[in-house]
Amino acid sequence: MKVSVKVPATTANIGPGFDCLGLALPIYNTITIEETVLPGTGVEINLMSEDEVVDEMIFDNIPRDENSIVYKAVEMLYNSIGQEPSELRINVQSQIPITRGLGSSASVVVGGLIAANKLLGSPADETALLSIATEVEGHPDNVAPAILGGFVLSSQEEDGSIICRKLDWPEEWDITVCIPDFELATNIARSVLPKDVPMEDAVFNAKHLAMLITAVSTKDEKLMKLALKDRLHQPYREKLVPGMKEIMEAFKHEDGVLGCVLSGAGPTMLVISYKYDLDKIKSIVRDIWEAQNIKVDIKTLKVEQEGAKILE
Ligand code: HSE
């Protein structure tokens, strides 16, 4: 038996929503799991990219055995029902660029889990899958929208349980993703974050996150423009993303641009705009990055309302 699952890309944080906000985007990975018939063949993981050579090089550094995150997730699911995964062939057809802050690893974890769950006769419900995916990923902000689609607020509570709620993202707000041609691994982007932050900064983010949720719920562009500020992760990550500061600065005084933030742990930048010239966004970002010899792929996308789905 063979099951394929199509999973959207995600962008996490959206400025002040560090580790708790995420949006699904219409770029997809398809994860296929097949129980192979030959005993003793163990796990086989194949990665296929539609992207450029640079991604093939990155693929070479990704474990394709029991150390892979997709295998870890699948193993946790099997173990949760008292079983061990046997011979599995896992294929990842990838469109989501890797190590760019667009949830490629979350998509693989989610796709692997949903496919394996189907193979096992669906013993785990959505909550259980979300819980395993969060355990593997470390935070729920990418996996929650990858599973549910849309704009999702999520939290891993102190008892380990996952809370998540889908909110309506205003249709008229454009999302432009600017994907540079260099990678930034999440573990490196997290290693520069401090263990403790000043109370002032914690309060700053709490206020701006509340503003962001209110702005989205009431479609208030003016409030959104004030809300997209962060002191918990972006300032620390600036040194890892050449051009980030200049790009954010360039959009500060553009009417119609609601904000510019790091997508997840970066290095992709996300520009949120309202009735604004999308070509101008592209040329601003391109000019800054190309002056630093950084190539960039820029796409304006609609929020993907549908989460991961099993392909029949
Ligand atoms: N919230 C996470 C971070 C997303 O910013 O590190 C990356 O997976």
Side-chain angles (χ1 to χ4, degrees), residues 12-13 18-20 137 139 141-142 186 190 193 233 237 264-265:
N13 301 329
F18 180 63
D19 276 359
C20 67
E137 275 286 289
H139 27 83
D141 52 351
N142 285 109
T186 302
R190 289 186 86 85
L193 304 181
H233 68 108
R237 287 171 165 170

Side-chain angles (χ1 to χ4, degrees), residues 138-199:
H139 27 83
D141 52 351
N142 285 109
V143 293
I147 292 176
L148 300 173
F151 177 48
V152 183
L153 167 67
S154 58
S155 163
Q156 183 168 35
E157 296 294 279
E158 281 156 337
D159 64 0
S161 63
I162 313 295
I163 308 289
C164 60
R165 294 291 183 274
K166 206 168 158 174
L167 306 165
D168 284 335
W169 180 265
E171 267 279 310
E172 317 74 47
W173 294 3
D174 292 313
I175 295 171
T176 303
V177 287
C178 312
I179 313 166
D181 70 348
F182 63 92
E183 55 180 300
L184 175 54
T186 302
N187 60 343
I188 294 174
R190 289 186 86 85
S191 73
V192 297
L193 304 181
K195 283 209 163 32
D196 302 298
V197 294
M199 172 64 94

Side-chain angles (χ1 to χ4, degrees), residues 96-118:
I96 306 174
I98 290 173
T99 55
R100 299 300 203 286
L102 288 168
S104 118
S105 94
S107 81
V108 171
V109 166
V110 163
L113 277 174
I114 293 177
N117 194 41
K118 175 84 175 168

